Amino acid sequence: MRSAGLKYAGRAEWVKLRTDPGNGWLLLGVVALTLAVGAAVAMTARCDALGCGEDATKLSLTGVMVGQVVVAIVAVLMVGNEYSTGMMHTTVAAVPRRLTVLFSKAAVLSAVTLVTGVVGVLGSLLVGGLVQPGRGFTEAHGYAPMSPADPETLRAAVGSVLYLALIGLLGLGIALIVRNSATAIGIVLGLLFFFPILTQVITDPDWQRLLQQIAPMTAGLSVQTTVGVDRLPIGPWEGLGVVALWATGALAAGGAMLRSRDV
């Protein structure tokens, strides 16, 4: 019965997401922005000599930093729109188990974000692989042709897709906590971009390193690094784990709020 309820709730969440035309445009925006920004950076970066120190893979995936903003907006609106229109009352009336509502929203959001992320990330790597050799990223300068078969490139690609999904879950959890779209978007973007700004302001290297290790965006996007990994303040997968902890905490708090409130 419980699995049937989750299946029904998941189908309902998919219908709500699919029938709102704004969501389709936003998800298309994730792909477009990820590709456009990644392509722009790939076409402007240069490596003019051996050992120029640039990370070709990470440059191609720069668009993920912009795409995550739209992912967060989609996630927040998935909850915020229901609260603003009063539809959340209908949702919990149809699915009385509040955690089933939470899990179904998280599952549908993760699915669409993963698909969108795969398209954006693979497209960015394809563009980078075509453009960057003409910008000096050649074997003569120490750069092998970019290929998903390369373990570090594959890790950067898979990690970037997972990162986008985790940012979506973070946004979903925060939206459930505050129940207001504008406030939730502000909090998510603040968490993503405040820590990097604070790191630039603080001069103590130990505090800088600590902030880089706990900041969701700085730690999470370390998974894209393929050059100088040993110099990172936190390892690539460990950094992604930090984002997973932020998302898990937000979902746990959001789920608790969903259960304890009338709606």
Side-chain angles (χ1 to χ4, degrees), residues 49-227:
L50 180 65
C52 63
E54 295 286 359
D55 190 330
T57 301
K58 190 166 187 175
L59 289 172
S60 296
L61 295 174
T62 305
V64 171
M65 190 180 299
V66 182
Q68 69 176 338
V69 175
V70 188
V71 168
I73 293 173
V74 172
V76 167
L77 293 180
M78 192 174 186
V79 171
N81 282 347
E82 288 202 44
Y83 277 115
S84 64
T85 61
M87 190 174 180
M88 186 60 77
H89 292 279
T90 304
T91 297
V92 297
V95 185
R97 292 182 180 273
R98 304 296 177 90
L99 290 184
T100 299
V101 174
L102 172 64
F103 292 147
S104 62
K105 287 183 180 295
V108 171
L109 176 65
S110 296
V112 296
T113 305
L114 287 171
V115 172
T116 304
V118 166
V119 175
V121 166
L122 290 183
S124 297
L125 291 176
L126 177 61
V127 172
L130 293 172
V131 170
Q132 287 179 333
R135 306 295 298 173
F137 292 89
T138 61
E139 292 189 34
H141 291 164
Y143 290 90
M146 192 181 301
S147 169
D150 175 67
E152 291 188 335
T153 302
L154 179 62
R155 182 250 297 157
V158 172
S160 294
V161 175
L162 294 176
Y163 173 80
L164 289 173
L166 289 171
I167 293 300
L169 294 176
L170 174 63
L172 182 68
I174 290 175
L176 285 168
I177 295 170
V178 301
R179 299 190 295 179
N180 179 275
S181 296
T183 303
I185 290 171
I187 292 173
V188 176
L189 297 186
L191 285 173
L192 294 177
F193 294 102
F194 172 72
F195 283 104
I197 295 172
L198 187 60
T199 303
Q200 299 300 316
V201 174
I202 293 177
T203 57
D204 185 280
D206 292 331
W207 278 102
Q208 284 182 337
R209 184 177 182 85
L210 176 61
L211 288 173
Q212 290 170 340
Q213 290 172 335
I214 65 173
M217 184 169 74
T218 306
L221 290 181
S222 65
V223 78
Q224 296 180 340
T225 303
T226 62
V227 175

Side-chain angles (χ1 to χ4, degrees), residues 29-50:
V30 175
V31 176
L33 285 172
T34 302
L35 284 171
V37 174
V41 172
M43 288 188 289
T44 54
R46 287 199 63 85
C47 181
D48 295 320
L50 180 65

